[in-house]
Amino acid sequence: VTLLPFIAGDLINLGAVGETVLNTLELSAAEVALITAANLVVGNVASGAITVSAGITTTGATNVTLTTAINNNISFSGAAAQLNASGGNVTLVTDATGVGGIVSGGAATDVVANLLTVTAGQGDIGGAGNPLSFDATTLVTTTGLNGLQFLSEANTVNWNTSTATNANSIALEGG
């Protein structure tokens, strides 16, 4: 299943309560839970910024991919904002050549997945004092030029990382 905004560049909000923001594809947590698929793709390289604004849990193990256009962020907004793939994999993608990033909302765990793959540009993955928190068996991260990585794992993780330059910094907490 692929979900895209009707117009390229429109925003996406997973966990929205009601449809209140113009030019935004808004899906509530209940609406997302109704989707039963092996793969759920939200957004593409032409989509606007993506916000996860509530607890999103898939029905059964689902491979979830969130993709946004160059220079846009994927943000977890608030302490309840979590993406749980119920044993499936999660891929979060901004264009590594741009300034987009992955922004944590401060939840105890932003993402729960078997394999978590994160690609971000110069906008970083997580932030100092607000790392992207996750519970995954395997983690693969990539950041573009000068992109930093601030990560917090709930348990233990097998980790493969790639950065575009040696000027990057990586901070791993927890686990």
Side-chain angles (χ1 to χ4, degrees):
V1 172
T2 300
L3 303 173
L4 300 172
F6 186 69
I7 299 171
D10 278 0
L11 306 174
I12 299 170
N13 186 341
L14 300 178
V17 179
E19 297 176 14
T20 59
V21 180
L22 292 175
N23 302 320
T24 303
L25 170 61
E26 296 176 292
L27 296 167
S28 70
E31 290 170 324
V32 174
L34 292 173
I35 300 169
T36 303
N39 298 295
L40 174 59
V41 176
V42 180
N44 64 17
V45 296
S47 298
I50 298 174
T51 301
V52 176
S53 59
I56 302 294
T57 301
T58 62
T59 303
T62 304
N63 298 321
V64 179
T65 301
L66 305 183
T67 304
T68 188
I70 191 169
N71 301 331
N72 288 323
N73 290 335
I74 296 173
S75 301
F76 293 82
S77 178
Q82 181 187 75
L83 178 58
N84 185 335
S86 301
N89 302 327
V90 172
T91 303
L92 307 175
V93 181
T94 67
D95 191 308
T97 63
V99 297
I102 312 297
V103 180
S104 174
T109 307
D110 295 308
V111 179
V112 178
N114 180 41
L115 166 64
L116 174 59
T117 303
V118 184
T119 301
Q122 296 178 42
D124 304 337
I125 299 172
N130 193 26
L132 179 69
S133 59
F134 63 94
D135 186 353
T137 304
T138 304
L139 173 68
V140 177
T141 60
T142 303
T143 49
L145 183 64
N146 297 321
L148 307 177
Q149 299 182 25
F150 300 92
L151 305 162
S152 178
E153 161 60 36
N155 296 295
T156 59
V157 67
N158 295 313
W159 185 15
N160 178 5
T161 188
S162 171
T163 56
T165 176
N166 291 333
N168 298 32
S169 295
I170 299 171
L172 180 62
E173 302 175 2

